[in-house]
PDB file of all heavy atoms in Angstrom:
ATOM      1  N   ASP A  46      13.863  12.881  -2.015  1.00  0.00           N
ATOM      2  CA  ASP A  46      14.331  11.692  -1.295  1.00  0.00           C
ATOM      3  C   ASP A  46      15.075  12.087  -0.024  1.00  0.00           C
ATOM      4  O   ASP A  46      14.863  11.502   1.037  1.00  0.00           O
ATOM      5  CB  ASP A  46      15.268  10.841  -2.171  1.00  0.00           C
ATOM      6  CG  ASP A  46      14.528  10.072  -3.245  1.00  0.00           C
ATOM      7  OD1 ASP A  46      13.315   9.830  -3.088  1.00  0.00           O
ATOM      8  OD2 ASP A  46      15.167   9.709  -4.242  1.00  0.00           O
ATOM      9  N   ASN A  47      15.947  13.076  -0.121  1.00  0.00           N
ATOM     10  CA  ASN A  47      16.708  13.519   1.053  1.00  0.00           C
ATOM     11  C   ASN A  47      15.811  14.112   2.127  1.00  0.00           C
ATOM     12  O   ASN A  47      16.052  13.917   3.312  1.00  0.00           O
ATOM     13  CB  ASN A  47      17.824  14.483   0.656  1.00  0.00           C
ATOM     14  CG  ASN A  47      19.073  13.761   0.224  1.00  0.00           C
ATOM     15  OD1 ASN A  47      19.445  12.734   0.797  1.00  0.00           O
ATOM     16  ND2 ASN A  47      19.720  14.271  -0.802  1.00  0.00           N
ATOM     17  N   MET A  49      12.757  13.182   2.708  1.00  0.00           N
ATOM     18  CA  MET A  49      12.109  12.027   3.328  1.00  0.00           C
ATOM     19  C   MET A  49      13.054  11.306   4.294  1.00  0.00           C
ATOM     20  O   MET A  49      12.651  10.890   5.371  1.00  0.00           O
ATOM     21  CB  MET A  49      11.627  11.051   2.254  1.00  0.00           C
ATOM     22  CG  MET A  49      10.497  11.594   1.398  1.00  0.00           C
ATOM     23  SD  MET A  49      10.075  10.520   0.024  1.00  0.00           S
ATOM     24  CE  MET A  49       9.157   9.246   0.874  1.00  0.00           C
ATOM     25  N   LEU A  50      14.295  11.172   3.907  1.00  0.00           N
ATOM     26  CA  LEU A  50      15.264  10.423   4.710  1.00  0.00           C
ATOM     27  C   LEU A  50      15.736  11.187   5.943  1.00  0.00           C
ATOM     28  O   LEU A  50      15.998  10.596   6.987  1.00  0.00           O
ATOM     29  CB  LEU A  50      16.483  10.051   3.863  1.00  0.00           C
ATOM     30  CG  LEU A  50      16.246   9.018   2.771  1.00  0.00           C
ATOM     31  CD1 LEU A  50      17.481   8.934   1.872  1.00  0.00           C
ATOM     32  CD2 LEU A  50      15.916   7.663   3.367  1.00  0.00           C
ATOM     33  N   THR A  51      15.872  12.491   5.831  1.00  0.00           N
ATOM     34  CA  THR A  51      16.512  13.266   6.900  1.00  0.00           C
ATOM     35  C   THR A  51      15.532  13.996   7.810  1.00  0.00           C
ATOM     36  O   THR A  51      15.942  14.815   8.621  1.00  0.00           O
ATOM     37  CB  THR A  51      17.489  14.304   6.311  1.00  0.00           C
ATOM     38  OG1 THR A  51      16.757  15.205   5.478  1.00  0.00           O
ATOM     39  CG2 THR A  51      18.595  13.637   5.526  1.00  0.00           C
ATOM     40  N   ASP A  54      16.584  12.498  11.221  1.00  0.00           N
ATOM     41  CA  ASP A  54      18.003  12.238  11.447  1.00  0.00           C
ATOM     42  C   ASP A  54      18.793  12.690  10.221  1.00  0.00           C
ATOM     43  O   ASP A  54      18.787  12.032   9.181  1.00  0.00           O
ATOM     44  CB  ASP A  54      18.216  10.737  11.705  1.00  0.00           C
ATOM     45  CG  ASP A  54      19.647  10.380  12.050  1.00  0.00           C
ATOM     46  OD1 ASP A  54      20.541  11.239  11.930  1.00  0.00           O
ATOM     47  OD2 ASP A  54      19.882   9.215  12.439  1.00  0.00           O
ATOM     48  N   LYS A  55      19.475  13.816  10.365  1.00  0.00           N
ATOM     49  CA  LYS A  55      20.203  14.413   9.238  1.00  0.00           C
ATOM     50  C   LYS A  55      21.328  13.518   8.698  1.00  0.00           C
ATOM     51  O   LYS A  55      21.737  13.666   7.559  1.00  0.00           O
ATOM     52  CB  LYS A  55      20.791  15.772   9.634  1.00  0.00           C
ATOM     53  CG  LYS A  55      19.759  16.772  10.083  1.00  0.00           C
ATOM     54  CD  LYS A  55      18.842  17.158   8.969  1.00  0.00           C
ATOM     55  CE  LYS A  55      17.828  18.192   9.451  1.00  0.00           C
ATOM     56  NZ  LYS A  55      16.632  18.260   8.669  1.00  0.00           N
ATOM     57  N   SER A  56      21.793  12.573   9.508  1.00  0.00           N
ATOM     58  CA  SER A  56      22.891  11.703   9.064  1.00  0.00           C
ATOM     59  C   SER A  56      22.435  10.673   8.024  1.00  0.00           C
ATOM     60  O   SER A  56      23.270   9.983   7.439  1.00  0.00           O
ATOM     61  CB  SER A  56      23.512  10.978  10.259  1.00  0.00           C
ATOM     62  OG  SER A  56      22.627   9.997  10.772  1.00  0.00           O
ATOM     63  N   LEU A  57      21.143  10.571   7.777  1.00  0.00           N
ATOM     64  CA  LEU A  57      20.631   9.577   6.832  1.00  0.00           C
ATOM     65  C   LEU A  57      20.561  10.097   5.398  1.00  0.00           C
ATOM     66  O   LEU A  57      20.043   9.419   4.516  1.00  0.00           O
ATOM     67  CB  LEU A  57      19.251   9.087   7.284  1.00  0.00           C
ATOM     68  CG  LEU A  57      19.221   8.360   8.620  1.00  0.00           C
ATOM     69  CD1 LEU A  57      17.802   7.968   8.984  1.00  0.00           C
ATOM     70  CD2 LEU A  57      20.135   7.152   8.614  1.00  0.00           C
ATOM     71  N   LYS A  58      21.116  11.267   5.166  1.00  0.00           N
ATOM     72  CA  LYS A  58      21.135  11.837   3.818  1.00  0.00           C
ATOM     73  C   LYS A  58      21.805  10.865   2.848  1.00  0.00           C
ATOM     74  O   LYS A  58      22.707  10.114   3.221  1.00  0.00           O
ATOM     75  CB  LYS A  58      21.905  13.165   3.842  1.00  0.00           C
ATOM     76  CG  LYS A  58      21.903  13.887   2.535  1.00  0.00           C
ATOM     77  CD  LYS A  58      22.624  15.221   2.646  1.00  0.00           C
ATOM     78  CE  LYS A  58      22.621  15.887   1.285  1.00  0.00           C
ATOM     79  NZ  LYS A  58      23.306  17.149   1.308  1.00  0.00           N
ATOM     80  N   LEU A  59      21.365  10.884   1.610  1.00  0.00           N
ATOM     81  CA  LEU A  59      21.966  10.028   0.586  1.00  0.00           C
ATOM     82  C   LEU A  59      23.453  10.321   0.456  1.00  0.00           C
ATOM     83  O   LEU A  59      23.869  11.485   0.466  1.00  0.00           O
ATOM     84  CB  LEU A  59      21.299  10.260  -0.764  1.00  0.00           C
ATOM     85  CG  LEU A  59      19.847   9.820  -0.917  1.00  0.00           C
ATOM     86  CD1 LEU A  59      19.268  10.345  -2.222  1.00  0.00           C
ATOM     87  CD2 LEU A  59      19.730   8.308  -0.845  1.00  0.00           C
ATOM     88  N   THR A  60      24.253   9.266   0.324  1.00  0.00           N
ATOM     89  CA  THR A  60      25.686   9.449   0.109  1.00  0.00           C
ATOM     90  C   THR A  60      25.913   9.896  -1.340  1.00  0.00           C
ATOM     91  O   THR A  60      25.003   9.821  -2.167  1.00  0.00           O
ATOM     92  CB  THR A  60      26.461   8.139   0.355  1.00  0.00           C
ATOM     93  OG1 THR A  60      26.044   7.177  -0.633  1.00  0.00           O
ATOM     94  CG2 THR A  60      26.230   7.602   1.758  1.00  0.00           C
ATOM     95  N   GLU A  61      27.111  10.331  -1.631  1.00  0.00           N
ATOM     96  CA  GLU A  61      27.428  10.729  -3.011  1.00  0.00           C
ATOM     97  C   GLU A  61      27.239   9.556  -3.969  1.00  0.00           C
ATOM     98  O   GLU A  61      26.729   9.729  -5.071  1.00  0.00           O
ATOM     99  CB  GLU A  61      28.853  11.264  -3.095  1.00  0.00           C
ATOM    100  CG  GLU A  61      29.007  12.658  -2.546  1.00  0.00           C
ATOM    101  CD  GLU A  61      30.385  13.232  -2.788  1.00  0.00           C
ATOM    102  OE1 GLU A  61      30.944  13.031  -3.885  1.00  0.00           O
ATOM    103  OE2 GLU A  61      30.898  13.890  -1.869  1.00  0.00           O
ATOM    104  N   GLN A  63      25.261   6.902  -3.592  1.00  0.00           N
ATOM    105  CA  GLN A  63      23.834   6.646  -3.743  1.00  0.00           C
ATOM    106  C   GLN A  63      23.199   7.690  -4.667  1.00  0.00           C
ATOM    107  O   GLN A  63      22.381   7.353  -5.530  1.00  0.00           O
ATOM    108  CB  GLN A  63      23.125   6.670  -2.386  1.00  0.00           C
ATOM    109  CG  GLN A  63      23.423   5.492  -1.498  1.00  0.00           C
ATOM    110  CD  GLN A  63      22.866   5.701  -0.096  1.00  0.00           C
ATOM    111  OE1 GLN A  63      22.973   6.796   0.470  1.00  0.00           O
ATOM    112  NE2 GLN A  63      22.289   4.653   0.465  1.00  0.00           N
ATOM    113  N   THR A  64      23.592   8.937  -4.483  1.00  0.00           N
ATOM    114  CA  THR A  64      23.043  10.023  -5.295  1.00  0.00           C
ATOM    115  C   THR A  64      23.371   9.819  -6.765  1.00  0.00           C
ATOM    116  O   THR A  64      22.499   9.959  -7.633  1.00  0.00           O
ATOM    117  CB  THR A  64      23.570  11.387  -4.804  1.00  0.00           C
ATOM    118  OG1 THR A  64      23.164  11.564  -3.444  1.00  0.00           O
ATOM    119  CG2 THR A  64      23.036  12.531  -5.633  1.00  0.00           C
ATOM    120  N   LEU A  67      21.271   6.938  -8.110  1.00  0.00           N
ATOM    121  CA  LEU A  67      19.869   7.332  -8.234  1.00  0.00           C
ATOM    122  C   LEU A  67      19.655   8.320  -9.369  1.00  0.00           C
ATOM    123  O   LEU A  67      18.636   8.262 -10.049  1.00  0.00           O
ATOM    124  CB  LEU A  67      19.377   7.947  -6.921  1.00  0.00           C
ATOM    125  CG  LEU A  67      18.738   6.985  -5.952  1.00  0.00           C
ATOM    126  CD1 LEU A  67      18.336   7.692  -4.672  1.00  0.00           C
ATOM    127  CD2 LEU A  67      17.563   6.278  -6.555  1.00  0.00           C
ATOM    128  N   LYS A 107      15.834   2.007  -5.975  1.00  0.00           N
ATOM    129  CA  LYS A 107      16.130   2.985  -4.933  1.00  0.00           C
ATOM    130  C   LYS A 107      16.166   2.303  -3.571  1.00  0.00           C
ATOM    131  O   LYS A 107      17.089   2.517  -2.794  1.00  0.00           O
ATOM    132  CB  LYS A 107      15.086   4.102  -4.929  1.00  0.00           C
ATOM    133  CG  LYS A 107      15.282   5.078  -3.779  1.00  0.00           C
ATOM    134  CD  LYS A 107      14.433   6.319  -3.839  1.00  0.00           C
ATOM    135  CE  LYS A 107      12.987   6.102  -4.040  1.00  0.00           C
ATOM    136  NZ  LYS A 107      12.213   7.365  -3.960  1.00  0.00           N
ATOM    137  N   ARG A 108      15.197   1.473  -3.289  1.00  0.00           N
ATOM    138  CA  ARG A 108      15.143   0.771  -2.012  1.00  0.00           C
ATOM    139  C   ARG A 108      16.370  -0.125  -1.825  1.00  0.00           C
ATOM    140  O   ARG A 108      16.868  -0.263  -0.713  1.00  0.00           O
ATOM    141  CB  ARG A 108      13.863  -0.053  -1.904  1.00  0.00           C
ATOM    142  CG  ARG A 108      12.621   0.822  -1.780  1.00  0.00           C
ATOM    143  CD  ARG A 108      11.374  -0.037  -1.859  1.00  0.00           C
ATOM    144  NE  ARG A 108      10.263   0.486  -1.146  1.00  0.00           N
ATOM    145  CZ  ARG A 108      10.152   0.665   0.151  1.00  0.00           C
ATOM    146  NH1 ARG A 108      11.135   0.367   0.924  1.00  0.00           N
ATOM    147  NH2 ARG A 108       9.078   1.145   0.705  1.00  0.00           N
ATOM    148  N   SER A 109      16.861  -0.711  -2.911  1.00  0.00           N
ATOM    149  CA  SER A 109      18.026  -1.594  -2.814  1.00  0.00           C
ATOM    150  C   SER A 109      19.302  -0.826  -2.484  1.00  0.00           C
ATOM    151  O   SER A 109      20.247  -1.400  -1.949  1.00  0.00           O
ATOM    152  CB  SER A 109      18.217  -2.398  -4.103  1.00  0.00           C
ATOM    153  OG  SER A 109      18.767  -1.589  -5.130  1.00  0.00           O
ATOM    154  N   LEU A 110      19.329   0.464  -2.803  1.00  0.00           N
ATOM    155  CA  LEU A 110      20.500   1.295  -2.535  1.00  0.00           C
ATOM    156  C   LEU A 110      20.556   1.807  -1.096  1.00  0.00           C
ATOM    157  O   LEU A 110      21.622   2.150  -0.605  1.00  0.00           O
ATOM    158  CB  LEU A 110      20.523   2.509  -3.465  1.00  0.00           C
ATOM    159  CG  LEU A 110      20.758   2.255  -4.945  1.00  0.00           C
ATOM    160  CD1 LEU A 110      20.621   3.559  -5.722  1.00  0.00           C
ATOM    161  CD2 LEU A 110      22.114   1.634  -5.187  1.00  0.00           C
ATOM    162  N   LEU A 111      19.412   1.849  -0.446  1.00  0.00           N
ATOM    163  CA  LEU A 111      19.347   2.427   0.898  1.00  0.00           C
ATOM    164  C   LEU A 111      19.878   1.475   1.961  1.00  0.00           C
ATOM    165  O   LEU A 111      19.710   0.264   1.857  1.00  0.00           O
ATOM    166  CB  LEU A 111      17.893   2.799   1.238  1.00  0.00           C
ATOM    167  CG  LEU A 111      17.221   3.810   0.318  1.00  0.00           C
ATOM    168  CD1 LEU A 111      15.764   4.016   0.736  1.00  0.00           C
ATOM    169  CD2 LEU A 111      17.965   5.132   0.317  1.00  0.00           C
ATOM    170  N   THR A 112      20.514   2.054   2.975  1.00  0.00           N
ATOM    171  CA  THR A 112      20.948   1.256   4.128  1.00  0.00           C
ATOM    172  C   THR A 112      19.699   0.897   4.935  1.00  0.00           C
ATOM    173  O   THR A 112      18.621   1.448   4.708  1.00  0.00           O
ATOM    174  CB  THR A 112      21.912   2.063   5.029  1.00  0.00           C
ATOM    175  OG1 THR A 112      21.186   3.159   5.595  1.00  0.00           O
ATOM    176  CG2 THR A 112      23.133   2.551   4.262  1.00  0.00           C
ATOM    177  N   SER A 113      19.851  -0.003   5.889  1.00  0.00           N
ATOM    178  CA  SER A 113      18.690  -0.412   6.683  1.00  0.00           C
ATOM    179  C   SER A 113      18.095   0.770   7.459  1.00  0.00           C
ATOM    180  O   SER A 113      16.878   0.897   7.571  1.00  0.00           O
ATOM    181  CB  SER A 113      19.052  -1.559   7.621  1.00  0.00           C
ATOM    182  OG  SER A 113      20.103  -1.186   8.479  1.00  0.00           O
ATOM    183  N   LYS A 114      18.951   1.657   7.985  1.00  0.00           N
ATOM    184  CA  LYS A 114      18.453   2.834   8.707  1.00  0.00           C
ATOM    185  C   LYS A 114      17.739   3.802   7.760  1.00  0.00           C
ATOM    186  O   LYS A 114      16.709   4.372   8.102  1.00  0.00           O
ATOM    187  CB  LYS A 114      19.601   3.553   9.418  1.00  0.00           C
ATOM    188  CG  LYS A 114      20.092   2.831  10.649  1.00  0.00           C
ATOM    189  CD  LYS A 114      21.165   3.636  11.344  1.00  0.00           C
ATOM    190  CE  LYS A 114      21.631   2.920  12.611  1.00  0.00           C
ATOM    191  NZ  LYS A 114      22.623   3.703  13.344  1.00  0.00           N
ATOM    192  N   GLN A 115      18.306   3.982   6.588  1.00  0.00           N
ATOM    193  CA  GLN A 115      17.671   4.862   5.604  1.00  0.00           C
ATOM    194  C   GLN A 115      16.322   4.281   5.166  1.00  0.00           C
ATOM    195  O   GLN A 115      15.343   5.015   5.040  1.00  0.00           O
ATOM    196  CB  GLN A 115      18.567   5.043   4.376  1.00  0.00           C
ATOM    197  CG  GLN A 115      19.749   5.937   4.593  1.00  0.00           C
ATOM    198  CD  GLN A 115      20.666   5.961   3.385  1.00  0.00           C
ATOM    199  OE1 GLN A 115      20.910   4.922   2.762  1.00  0.00           O
ATOM    200  NE2 GLN A 115      21.189   7.132   3.055  1.00  0.00           N
ATOM    201  N   LEU A 116      16.308   2.983   4.949  1.00  0.00           N
ATOM    202  CA  LEU A 116      15.078   2.328   4.522  1.00  0.00           C
ATOM    203  C   LEU A 116      13.996   2.455   5.596  1.00  0.00           C
ATOM    204  O   LEU A 116      12.834   2.722   5.293  1.00  0.00           O
ATOM    205  CB  LEU A 116      15.336   0.858   4.182  1.00  0.00           C
ATOM    206  CG  LEU A 116      14.214   0.090   3.530  1.00  0.00           C
ATOM    207  CD1 LEU A 116      13.748   0.785   2.248  1.00  0.00           C
ATOM    208  CD2 LEU A 116      14.651  -1.329   3.222  1.00  0.00           C
ATOM    209  N   ALA A 117      14.370   2.318   6.844  1.00  0.00           N
ATOM    210  CA  ALA A 117      13.416   2.471   7.944  1.00  0.00           C
ATOM    211  C   ALA A 117      12.856   3.903   7.971  1.00  0.00           C
ATOM    212  O   ALA A 117      11.650   4.109   8.135  1.00  0.00           O
ATOM    213  CB  ALA A 117      14.068   2.123   9.275  1.00  0.00           C
ATOM    214  N   ALA A 118      13.716   4.890   7.783  1.00  0.00           N
ATOM    215  CA  ALA A 118      13.289   6.289   7.774  1.00  0.00           C
ATOM    216  C   ALA A 118      12.392   6.549   6.564  1.00  0.00           C
ATOM    217  O   ALA A 118      11.363   7.241   6.674  1.00  0.00           O
ATOM    218  CB  ALA A 118      14.505   7.214   7.736  1.00  0.00           C
ATOM    219  N   TYR A 119      12.762   6.001   5.426  1.00  0.00           N
ATOM    220  CA  TYR A 119      11.972   6.164   4.208  1.00  0.00           C
ATOM    221  C   TYR A 119      10.582   5.557   4.380  1.00  0.00           C
ATOM    222  O   TYR A 119       9.574   6.174   4.054  1.00  0.00           O
ATOM    223  CB  TYR A 119      12.731   5.515   3.044  1.00  0.00           C
ATOM    224  CG  TYR A 119      12.082   5.724   1.702  1.00  0.00           C
ATOM    225  CD1 TYR A 119      12.309   6.881   0.985  1.00  0.00           C
ATOM    226  CD2 TYR A 119      11.259   4.750   1.155  1.00  0.00           C
ATOM    227  CE1 TYR A 119      11.727   7.078  -0.255  1.00  0.00           C
ATOM    228  CE2 TYR A 119      10.680   4.940  -0.084  1.00  0.00           C
ATOM    229  CZ  TYR A 119      10.906   6.105  -0.775  1.00  0.00           C
ATOM    230  OH  TYR A 119      10.319   6.294  -2.000  1.00  0.00           O
ATOM    231  N   ASN A 120      10.544   4.339   4.939  1.00  0.00           N
ATOM    232  CA  ASN A 120       9.272   3.655   5.158  1.00  0.00           C
ATOM    233  C   ASN A 120       8.409   4.411   6.163  1.00  0.00           C
ATOM    234  O   ASN A 120       7.183   4.495   6.000  1.00  0.00           O
ATOM    235  CB  ASN A 120       9.491   2.220   5.615  1.00  0.00           C
ATOM    236  CG  ASN A 120      10.016   1.338   4.504  1.00  0.00           C
ATOM    237  OD1 ASN A 120       9.840   1.633   3.326  1.00  0.00           O
ATOM    238  ND2 ASN A 120      10.662   0.261   4.875  1.00  0.00           N
ATOM    239  N   ALA A 121       9.028   4.946   7.207  1.00  0.00           N
ATOM    240  CA  ALA A 121       8.287   5.705   8.217  1.00  0.00           C
ATOM    241  C   ALA A 121       7.668   6.961   7.601  1.00  0.00           C
ATOM    242  O   ALA A 121       6.505   7.292   7.865  1.00  0.00           O
ATOM    243  CB  ALA A 121       9.192   6.080   9.378  1.00  0.00           C
ATOM    244  N   TYR A 122       8.428   7.647   6.775  1.00  0.00           N
ATOM    245  CA  TYR A 122       7.910   8.849   6.103  1.00  0.00           C
ATOM    246  C   TYR A 122       6.786   8.471   5.151  1.00  0.00           C
ATOM    247  O   TYR A 122       5.753   9.128   5.091  1.00  0.00           O
ATOM    248  CB  TYR A 122       9.042   9.550   5.354  1.00  0.00           C
ATOM    249  CG  TYR A 122       8.655  10.881   4.778  1.00  0.00           C
ATOM    250  CD1 TYR A 122       8.888  12.053   5.486  1.00  0.00           C
ATOM    251  CD2 TYR A 122       8.061  10.980   3.527  1.00  0.00           C
ATOM    252  CE1 TYR A 122       8.536  13.287   4.965  1.00  0.00           C
ATOM    253  CE2 TYR A 122       7.709  12.212   2.999  1.00  0.00           C
ATOM    254  CZ  TYR A 122       7.944  13.353   3.713  1.00  0.00           C
ATOM    255  OH  TYR A 122       7.598  14.572   3.191  1.00  0.00           O
TER     256      TYR A 122
END
Side-chain angles (χ1 to χ4, degrees):
D46 286 337
N47 275 321
M49 293 173 76
L50 291 170
T51 61
D54 184 350
K55 301 294 181 202
S56 71
L57 297 178
K58 184 177 178 181
L59 292 170
T60 65
E61 284 187 40
Q63 288 171 318
T64 300
L67 268 178
K107 175 171 51 175
R108 291 173 151 295
S109 76
L110 292 175
L111 300 177
T112 65
S113 58
K114 286 183 178 183
Q115 286 174 319
L116 189 56
Y119 185 84
N120 289 337
Y122 187 94

